[in-house]
Amino acid sequence: RITDRDGDGIQDPRDHCPLTPGLMAFAGCPDTDGDGLPDDTDQCPTAPGPATTQGCPDRDGDTVRDAIDPCPDTPGPVEHNGCPDTDHDGILDKEDQCPTLPGIPAYRGCPDTDGDTLIDPEDECPEVAGQIENKGCPTKAETIVQLEAIADQIYFHTGSATLTDEGKATVVKVSKMLKATKGVTRVMIVGHTDDRSSANFNMILSHNRAKTVRDALIVEGIEAGNLQTDGKGETAPLAPNNSRDGRQRNRRVEFILLD
């Protein structure tokens, strides 16, 4: 005589769980939490959950079960145990003071673009280094030093007033410095050359190069009325023109802060 010991209507020979009432769909085994996974394969048989987490709850749907997910209501990658890292800087959002801006551990996930030790959200000049006591902006004296340091890095194509790509990038840096320096409005831009070519050609070239830099700064947002230009040709060298290094030093664009 064929029996049905658990009384679920499925005879024991065909019932995979003959002592526990179950469902025909699961060959006589129960699905206590009704999540579509039979109890014998469900790692959380009393709490409904998807098959991706073996039947255990996963409220945020990130495939990390709630019981081991430190952030069960916010989706995050498996490699971070289910917690998000929105800015992908390797610092979890729950520990990141700037969760939408990639940063570094030293500043608890916040960036310091200009490297002046003041994080960008607190830095009034985040792209130009400055003193903390000056809210991250450079002083006029600091800007003068920086402008002198890059005067010979504004490159033009040989014998012309056309900036190279590298020269354009340097002019962008200059514009950021000028914008970041409080109290600076009027600037004199002075072009210089080495002594190759005629004195007349070099004088005209130096004027044209200064005007090119002026135009580029205007494009970057510096007020046209605050920019003046001049050219000195080969008349104000910083070094002898008898060496390559000397000539390079002499080919420069000088910025004089007028106020």
Side-chain angles (χ1 to χ4, degrees), residues 166-244:
E166 190 173 356
K168 291 175 184 177
T170 304
V171 172
V172 171
K173 290 181 182 178
V174 170
S175 72
K176 291 177 179 179
M177 290 180 196
L178 295 177
K179 291 175 186 176
T181 308
K182 297 175 182 178
V184 171
T185 52
R186 296 185 304 124
V187 180
M188 174 68 76
I189 305 165
V190 184
H192 299 267
T193 69
D194 58 28
D195 67 349
R196 290 182 298 180
S197 298
S198 69
N200 184 59
F201 177 87
N202 287 334
M203 184 61 70
I204 294 172
L205 180 61
S206 67
H207 277 279
N208 289 340
R209 286 182 170 179
K211 291 175 183 175
T212 293
V213 171
R214 175 183 181 274
D215 292 343
L217 288 173
I218 292 170
V219 170
E220 293 301 318
I222 304 298
E223 286 289 335
N226 293 334
L227 300 173
Q228 302 176 35
T229 63
D230 193 8
K232 298 295 185 181
E234 61 187 68
T235 65
L238 292 178
N241 279 300
N242 56 8
S243 70
R244 181 177 180 179

Side-chain angles (χ1 to χ4, degrees), residues 96-123:
D96 195 329
Q97 287 193 343
C98 302
T100 61
L101 298 171
I104 57 177
Y107 300 121
R108 298 187 64 185
C110 290
D112 176 22
T113 302
D114 55 21
D116 60 4
T117 74
L118 192 62
I119 60 174
D120 288 1
E122 299 175 2
D123 193 329

Side-chain angles (χ1 to χ4, degrees), residues 30-39 42-50 54-57:
D31 175 18
T32 302
D33 57 16
D35 61 4
L37 293 175
D39 291 359
D42 193 329
Q43 292 190 10
C44 300
T46 61
Q54 295 77 49
C56 291

